[in-house]
């Protein structure tokens, strides 16, 4: 499901125009991004938390050439699944 | 900073942005999350523009250990949600660390060295050039100023450039001194070589000494003349001193060697005192304590046990040449060590 499909479904559920939904979605994501950049974590109730984490630098070896590379540290967006969602996922059988 | 933004905060913020009611925004967000969740639980992925992709991944069963009981447990296969941020978001978030780049480790040192060399390169040039070229420039500069410029300007330049002139004179003087040093070393080498020759051919000492002295002194005078040309007045006196000293040494050396050698060669006698040990005597006489074995060999008749030598025993100290003792020769030392092992094993 991509953004357009999501917008369509939400528009159906909320009885709003696609344009309106797309606008609200964009705004919500803009707010989330802005908060993340401020190093705040964004908790989405019953779904999970988006937060910034620092990945330490590490040495990795290129398996093809055997060369050792120093991968620099970086900041990433980490998604921590909420416990409720985890329980729901557990219920599903593989 | 490090605040936790919950759904209500998020709704309030996005409501402000979208110019809608906060409750409406919250309802929208809840519906959004619900939809995403449902889609994910159905096994579909959700790609949201400018945010990222949520995906349901299967995790296979694995064995683990219960922390509290220490028993082995099998974690059953399950699903998990993975989130991959959108490229734009990932880059925006990593902005503070964006200056770092992945480096190949094996080349990092070389790269650094090259970088350093490049940096130093400029400095090196500026360091090297002055030694070779600047003195010449400095010599040329002051006369130019004195010749061409008018008086007040000249005085100004003299005020500003005195260090240059001073350096110039110093350089010349140091060169003169270096020259004298070089020639004195050369002369010393020559004389020592000649002395060595005299020791080889003792019969011709007198003749060669005289003739060589005649040859040597003019050479030196030539040197001093050369030094005069290079305007080092102090060095000439030094030179003359050295010329006077060196011939005397030449004469002294050939007369003594035979006598001194004989003195060293002759057998000495030593009376053992309290605290004396063969090793200590060997160390004093031959420079290495391992040579005590030769002292023992020489005095076997008077020494019964090399570890216990009675006080008052007179021992003969043989000349070093008798047993080929040479502390600088590893072979000689090795031989002594072997002998030592032989005696200590007895």
């Amino acid at each position: 499901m991509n953004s357009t499909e999501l917008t369509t479904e939400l528009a159906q559920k909320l009885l709003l125009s696609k344009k309106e939904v797309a606008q609200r979605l964009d705004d919500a994501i803009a707010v989330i991004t802005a908060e993340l950049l401020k190093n705040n974590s964004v908790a989405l109730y019953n779904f999970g938390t988006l937060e910034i984490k620092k990945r330490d630098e590490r040495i990795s070896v290129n398996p093809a050439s055997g060369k050792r590379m120093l991968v620099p540290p970086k900041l990433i967006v980490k998604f921590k699944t909420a416990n409720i969602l985890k329980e729901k996922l557990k219920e599903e059988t593989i | 900073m490090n605040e936790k933004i919950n759904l209500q905060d998020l709704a309030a913020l996005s409501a402000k942005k979208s110019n809608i009611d906060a409750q409406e925004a919250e309802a929208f967000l809840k519906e959004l999350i619900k939809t995403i969740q449902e889609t994910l639980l159905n096994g579909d992925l959700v790609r949201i523009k400018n945010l990222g992709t949520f995906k349901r991944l299967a995790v296979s069963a694995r064995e683990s250990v219960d922390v509290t009981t220490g028993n082995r447990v099998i974690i059953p296969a399950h699903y998990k949600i993975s989130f991959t941020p959108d490229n734009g978001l990932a880059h925006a978030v990593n902005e503070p660390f964006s200056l770092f780049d992945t480096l190949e480790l094996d080349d990092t040192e070389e790269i650094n060295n090259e970088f350093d060399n490049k940096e130093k390169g400029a400095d090196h040039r500026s360091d090297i050039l002055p030694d070779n070229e600047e003195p010449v420039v400095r010599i040329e500069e002051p006369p130019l100023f004195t010749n061409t410029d008018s008086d007040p300007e000249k005085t100004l330049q003299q005020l500003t450039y005195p260090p240059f002139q001073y350096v110039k004179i110093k350089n010349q003087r140091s060169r003169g001194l270096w020259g004298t040093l070089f020639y004195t070393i050369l002369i010393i080498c020559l004389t020592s070589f000649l002395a060595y020759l005299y020791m080889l051919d003792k019969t011709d000492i007198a003749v060669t000494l005289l003739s060589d002295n005649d040859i040597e002194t003019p050479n030196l005078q030539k040197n001093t003349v050369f030094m005069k040309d290079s305007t080092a007045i102090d060095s000439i006196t030094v030179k003359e001193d050295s010329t006077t000293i060196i011939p005397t040494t030449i004469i002294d050396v050939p007369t003594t060697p035979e006598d001194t050698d004989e003195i060293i060669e002759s057998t000495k006698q030593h009376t053992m005192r309290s605290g004396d040990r063969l090793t200590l005597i060997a160390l004093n006489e031959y420079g290495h304590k391992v040579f005590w074995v030769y002292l023992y060999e020489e005095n076997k008749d008077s020494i019964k046990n090399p570890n216990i030598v009675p006080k008052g025993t007179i021992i003969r100290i043989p000349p070093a040449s008798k047993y080929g003792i040479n502390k600088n020769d590893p072979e000689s030392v090795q031989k002594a060590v072997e002998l030592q092992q032989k005696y200590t094993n007895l």
Side-chain angles (χ1 to χ4, degrees), chain A residues 1-6 9-10 13-14 16 20-33 35-50 52-55 59-60 65-79 81 84-86 88-90 92-94, chain B residues 1-7 9-10 13-14 17-20 24-25 27-51 54 56 58-60 77-83 85 89-90 92-97 100-108:
Chain A
M1 186 191 258
N2 58 30
S3 275
T4 352
E5 285 163 5
L6 184 67
E9 200 173 323
L10 277 172
K13 279 185 183 171
L14 292 164
L16 287 164
E20 180 76 10
V21 171
Q23 181 60 44
R24 286 188 189 185
L25 186 61
D26 281 353
D27 287 342
I29 285 159
V31 170
I32 292 171
T33 309
E35 291 304 320
L36 284 175
L37 291 179
K38 275 191 252 170
N39 205 10
N40 293 335
S41 62
V42 179
L44 304 169
Y45 182 67
N46 282 355
F47 183 59
T49 311
L50 287 168
I52 303 283
K53 284 262 175 189
K54 188 198 159 207
R55 281 255 183 285
I59 291 163
S60 82
S65 62
K67 275 183 179 165
R68 282 145 50 84
M69 315 279 276
L70 182 67
V71 181
K74 64 175 172 185
L75 296 170
I76 53 138
V77 183
K78 176 141 174 63
F79 176 71
T81 317
I84 293 174
L85 183 57
K86 273 188 190 171
K88 279 184 187 171
L89 285 164
K90 263 188 198 172
E92 306 234 336
T93 46
I94 295 175
Chain B
M1 281 294 174
N2 287 326
E3 283 171 37
K4 196 163 186 174
I5 307 293
N6 58 28
L7 199 68
D9 301 327
L10 188 62
L13 286 163
S14 55
K17 204 169 165 75
S18 313
N19 281 324
I20 49 166
E24 210 180 327
F28 170 79
L29 285 171
K30 275 184 178 169
E31 196 58 45
L32 170 72
I33 289 163
K34 209 178 140 195
T35 316
I36 296 169
Q37 211 167 311
E38 276 169 11
T39 321
L40 283 171
L41 287 171
N42 285 334
D44 201 358
L45 62 83
V46 182
R47 180 173 288 130
I48 301 170
K49 209 171 112 191
N50 293 332
L51 188 70
F54 292 98
R56 188 186 73 169
V59 181
S60 51
H78 60 277
Y79 289 112
K80 68 169 185 182
I81 303 290
S82 93
F83 172 70
L89 177 65
V93 160
N94 197 37
E95 187 67 44
F97 284 173
F100 296 121
D101 214 355
T102 308
L103 292 170
E104 269 183 37
L105 266 192
D106 295 341
D107 295 339
T108 47

Side-chain angles (χ1 to χ4, degrees), chain B residues 39-138:
Chain B
T39 321
L40 283 171
L41 287 171
N42 285 334
D44 201 358
L45 62 83
V46 182
R47 180 173 288 130
I48 301 170
K49 209 171 112 191
N50 293 332
L51 188 70
T53 312
F54 292 98
K55 215 192 283 181
R56 188 186 73 169
L57 292 179
V59 181
S60 51
R62 65 187 170 98
E63 211 175 63
S64 183
V65 176
D66 193 312
V67 184
T68 48
T69 60
N71 295 332
R72 292 197 159 197
V73 258
I74 290 169
I75 298 169
H78 60 277
Y79 289 112
K80 68 169 185 182
I81 303 290
S82 93
F83 172 70
T84 315
D86 183 79
N87 257 343
L89 177 65
H91 280 296
V93 160
N94 197 37
E95 187 67 44
F97 284 173
S98 59
L99 67 157
F100 296 121
D101 214 355
T102 308
L103 292 170
E104 269 183 37
L105 266 192
D106 295 341
D107 295 339
T108 47
E109 280 177 34
E110 286 173 27
I111 289 162
N112 285 337
N113 285 341
E114 275 173 33
F115 186 64
D116 285 349
N117 285 340
K118 269 177 199 166
E119 274 194 334
K120 281 173 188 167
D123 297 341
H124 273 311
R125 260 166 237 149
S126 60
D127 285 344
I128 294 160
L129 281 178
D131 291 338
N132 296 332
E133 290 180 2
E134 270 187 32
V136 181
V137 176
R138 280 170 189 175

